[in-house]
Amino acid sequence: GQQLNQSPQSMFIQEGEDVSMNCTSSSIFNTWLWYKQEPGEGPVLLIALYKAGELTSNGRLTAQFGITRKDSFLNISASIPSDVGIYFCAGRFSGSARQLTFGSGTQLTVLP
Amino acid sequence: IAGITQAPTSQILAAGRRMTLRCTQDMRHNAMYWYRQDLGLGLRLIHYSNTAGTTGKGEVPDGYSVSRANTDDFPLTLASAVPSQTSVYFCASSARGGQTEAFFGQGTRLTVV
């Protein structure tokens, strides 16, 4: 099946710092999504990207759909304690049954 | 509050037993999905349904079955549970098949012993 490599697996940062995480795929994707999951909850959609090169922001979050269509990154600026959680990328590749493939997640810890 | 409701929240199940995880949405979404989440593996699609009356296999369908008799309900059945099916199960829905899975349920934590 299709594979998504998400990195880093975990991050420990100081409050106020910026964060960057990324995903790469072995196939061309036509959709990239970023989700956040908090303990005991289901994933919540943060940002959706549908076009190569697209750059989209949601508050302090910014995500980009790579030009090659095989990668995407998520940046979080000026991190705060409530940013703690697991961040997942997900992609939908051309030719699939329109289903999503998820990355393995980035565990973010924000230290006060 | 509109959304997705999963039941039960958690369950401990003896191996070999049959179990149905329930999922109901009240958003009139056409498409629904079942994922399992295991540490280090992200979410993997088990089965999906793009519209009532149709279902399809995802990445890890073996040992699971689903039905979609109406728009709102999408139960997942384990016919004979095995320990490797210990996982957290998430139901999700989207307005149309192939669109963003914008809504996830709270999850069902299943332990097979």
Side-chain angles (χ1 to χ4, degrees):
Chain A
Q2 304 304 311
Q3 288 190 334
L4 281 185
N5 294 311
Q6 184 171 350
S7 64
Q9 283 188 316
S10 62
M11 302 181 73
F12 291 81
I13 62 169
Q14 295 291 139
E15 183 176 355
E17 289 184 346
D18 297 343
V19 174
S20 184
M21 59 192 77
N22 69 85
C23 276
T24 60
S25 77
S26 56
S27 300
I28 291 175
F29 276 27
N30 55 27
T31 302
W32 282 99
L33 308 167
W34 286 93
Y35 286 86
K36 178 187 179 185
Q37 185 179 26
E38 299 187 11
E41 303 288 329
V44 175
L45 183 66
L46 299 174
I47 293 178
L49 303 161
Y50 299 106
K51 291 172 55 178
E54 181 179 354
L55 184 71
T56 298
S57 293
N58 178 6
R60 294 177 296 105
L61 278 62
T62 301
Q64 184 160 30
F65 192 141
I67 291 293
T68 66
R69 298 171 64 190
K70 291 185 176 183
D71 63 309
S72 176
F73 72 75
L74 174 70
N75 287 341
I76 304 173
S77 62
S79 58
I80 60 178
S82 62
D83 290 334
V84 167
I86 303 176
Y87 291 79
F88 290 100
C89 64
R92 182 174 293 117
F93 67 98
S94 304
S96 76
R98 299 175 296 173
Q99 307 311 320
L100 286 178
T101 299
F102 278 81
S104 56
T106 295
Q107 173 73 60
L108 178 65
T109 301
V110 180
L111 304 172
Chain B
I1 298 177
I4 296 179
T5 302
Q6 289 185 235
T9 303
S10 65
Q11 180 76 45
I12 298 175
L13 185 68
R17 296 294 296 269
R18 180 184 179 91
M19 173 77 188
T20 295
L21 309 185
R22 300 185 297 278
C23 176
T24 299
Q25 54 103 356
D26 60 3
M27 299 172 284
R28 306 304 294 172
H29 282 173
N30 283 326
M32 297 186 73
Y33 314 84
W34 275 105
Y35 293 88
R36 60 177 289 172
Q37 185 175 31
D38 303 291
L39 194 63
L41 293 176
L43 289 97
R44 293 181 292 169
L45 183 66
I46 304 172
H47 284 286
Y48 66 92
S49 169
N50 284 335
T51 188
T54 69
T55 62
K57 294 182 179 180
E59 182 184 353
V60 288
D62 294 343
Y64 306 95
S65 63
V66 292
S67 61
R68 187 87 184 279
N70 57 62
T71 297
D72 298 342
D73 301 299
F74 191 42
L76 176 74
T77 297
L78 289 68
S80 179
V82 295
S84 62
Q85 292 177 309
T86 294
S87 187
V88 181
Y89 291 86
F90 287 100
C91 180
S93 74
S94 64
R96 297 196 301 275
Q99 297 298 305
T100 302
E101 279 89 321
F103 296 94
F104 277 78
Q106 297 285 82
T108 295
R109 182 174 295 276
L110 180 66
T111 303
V112 182
V113 298

